[in-house]
Amino acid sequence: MEAAQRAGIEPVELLVAGDNVLPELLGEVSTLGHAPRVIGIYRRTDLPTGARDVVLALWQVSDPGNVGTLLRTADAFGVGVALSPECADPTSPRALRASAGAIFRVPLVGWDELPGQRVALVAHGGTPLADAPLEPPVTLFLGSEREGLPDRLVARGHRVTIELPGDAESLNVAAAGAIALYEVARRTAR
C-alpha cells in the first residue's frame, strides 16, 4: 500500500481490518499464513508503463516468485521489464510479495517496444558476460526456467553466457537477471 501511495497510484478499494471490514474476513481471502491488516485493490491499467534504456525481457517465465524477484531487481537498477505471453502474472499474490512494491515503480514495456540491441542470456555457448556488448539502449532476454529462450529470439541478438566456475549447470533466472543488470550498471557507472 505504501509503495502504491508513494507512486501516486490510488486504490479502487481499501479494506482495513476493524475499520471497514471484519479482520477475520481479511484472513479468509488472504493467501498469507496470517490475516493482513489491509488489502488494497488497484487497477492494472494504473501500473507504470513506458520505455527505459535498459529492459529485462522475460520469455515465458512461469514462476511468479521469479517474476516478482526480477521486478524488484529491475527496480533496484532503474530498468523496465517486458513480459511475453505465458509469463506468470506480475499481479498474482506470489509475484506481488516477491516484488516488494516494485510493481508500482517499474515500467512494464510492451514486447513490441523493446529498446536497442538485443542480448540473449543463454546457459552455455555464448560470449562471456564480461565481454558482451551491454551499452544502453539494450534489451536483456531471459528465458523460461525449463526451456530457456527459443532459437528465433536468440538468433536476433548477441548470445551471452554468465560463466560459472562452480559445478552448477545453470543459474536461477532471477539470479541470472540480477548478475546481468549488475554488469550493465557497473559499466555505465564508469
Side-chain angles (χ1 to χ4, degrees):
M1 184 176 89
E2 291 173 18
Q5 285 177 329
R6 286 193 300 271
I9 300 173
E10 294 296 322
V12 173
E13 188 70 48
L14 198 58
L15 304 174
V16 181
D19 185 22
N20 61 355
V21 68
L22 294 171
E24 54 271 15
L25 291 178
L26 289 184
E28 288 181 27
V29 299
S30 174
T31 59
L32 300 173
H34 61 284
R37 295 178 320 164
V38 178
I39 293 179
I41 301 168
Y42 298 87
R43 286 183 191 87
R44 189 177 182 126
T45 55
D46 289 343
L47 296 177
T49 59
R52 294 259 171 105
D53 280 347
V54 179
V55 171
L56 279 180
L58 310 183
W59 177 259
Q60 297 182 354
V61 176
S62 60
D63 183 303
N66 283 335
V67 169
T69 300
L70 285 162
L71 280 164
R72 187 174 182 179
T73 303
D75 188 27
F77 288 99
V79 307
V81 170
L83 304 167
S84 76
E86 298 181 36
C87 262
D89 181 358
T91 63
S92 70
R94 275 190 59 211
L96 288 172
R97 280 194 305 279
S99 83
I103 190 72
F104 297 110
R105 296 182 295 270
V106 174
L108 297 176
V109 179
W111 198 256
D112 57 343
E113 301 168 18
L114 301 174
Q117 63 185 329
R118 310 292 206 247
V119 173
L121 274 83
V122 296
H124 307 286
T127 301
L129 181 64
D131 301 328
L134 298 175
E135 295 72 32
V138 63
T139 297
L140 303 170
F141 286 90
L142 296 166
S144 72
E145 295 88 343
R146 288 188 206 124
E147 304 296 322
L149 292 168
D151 290 337
R152 71 180 188 281
L153 286 180
V154 173
R156 290 185 183 166
H158 302 282
R159 293 172 49 95
V160 174
T161 299
I162 298 170
E163 294 186 321
L164 304 175
D167 293 330
E169 181 182 320
S170 64
L171 290 170
N172 167 279
V173 67
I179 291 168
L181 286 179
Y182 175 80
E183 182 64 16
V184 170
R186 186 187 69 77
R187 289 187 194 182
T188 56
R190 291 181 196 165

